[in-house]
Amino acid sequence: AAGVIQSPRHLIKEKRETATLKCYPIPRHDTVYWYQQGPGQDPQFLISFYEKMQSDKGSIPDRFSAQQFSDYHSELNMSSLELGDSALYFCASSYGTSGGEQFFGPGTRLTVL
Amino acid sequence: KNQVEQSPQSLIILEGKNCTLQCNYTVSPFSNLRWYKQDTGRGPVSLTIMTFSENTKSNGRYTATLDADTKQSSLHITASQLSDSASYICVVSPKNYGGSQGNLIFGKGTKLSVKP
């Protein structure tokens, strides 16, 4: 069965650079969630989209932005990268927002040097 | 404050043995509780998902229980295998006023190591 696809899987950037992470949800899933997981930490919710509209916002820094496109894929744009942004970024998708199970992608490991 | 607490933080068992992981939560109202398995550097993989009306759910060698009165859940792993070595994360989804799913609240996980 198709799973959530994230690209790239690994990314190395320098401070103050920008990065774009992509997420392709499971087919027919209309909701996408972004999470940030620092080393040894539990995932922190960043932002979610339902039917291409922002549905919820968590601890996403102002330097980050995200959107969901007409084909339901989502992109997380990160600017002015800081060392502390080094983390595993997960995308999850679900069908609807009423308790539908979230399926996680493999994550993108971002390293900021 | 909505919280999810897991115990133990880490656990080492021998291959073939059983083990039980605990999860206590203070999320209310809550929509559902999930157990995920996360290998190092990989995305969490769902094992079970239970609503407040469900007491137990099994997925192969994994059996989750839920006591909504005491706000406790457990994950029992039977006949452990080396491949069970991973972090097991208890995740609670609160219910928003409108009935929609709130942000997932993650426990910090139990790191299980299965030794030969």
Side-chain angles (χ1 to χ4, degrees), chain A residues 5-62:
Chain A
I5 297 172
Q6 290 188 246
S7 68
R9 293 293 311 278
H10 302 273
L11 189 59
I12 299 175
K13 291 285 185 179
E14 301 213 344
K15 275 174 32 178
R16 292 180 289 278
E17 285 191 321
T18 61
T20 297
L21 310 185
K22 296 184 180 182
C23 169
Y24 297 87
I26 290 172
R28 291 186 295 279
H29 280 191
D30 50 16
T31 307
V32 168
Y33 310 80
W34 285 97
Y35 294 87
Q36 176 192 58
Q37 186 176 28
Q41 303 292 315
D42 48 295
Q44 296 296 312
F45 171 72
L46 294 178
I47 194 166
S48 63
F49 292 88
Y50 168 66
E51 281 292 343
K52 293 151 280 185
M53 300 284 289
Q54 181 182 306
S55 56
D56 211 342
K57 192 172 181 179
S59 52
I60 184 168
D62 292 340

Side-chain angles (χ1 to χ4, degrees), chain A residues 78-110:
Chain A
M78 310 159 73
S79 62
S80 302
L81 287 170
E82 301 173 356
L83 296 179
D85 296 330
S86 295
L88 208 48
Y89 289 83
F90 291 111
C91 168
S93 76
S94 70
Y95 179 71
T97 59
S98 300
E101 183 171 358
Q102 293 187 21
F103 293 84
F104 284 80
T108 293
R109 180 169 292 286
L110 172 66

Side-chain angles (χ1 to χ4, degrees), chain B residues 32-47:
Chain B
N32 55 63
L33 183 146
R34 313 137 189 254
W35 282 94
Y36 285 93
K37 176 185 178 186
Q38 185 177 22
D39 293 307
T40 302
R42 307 292 296 273
V45 174
S46 179
L47 297 175

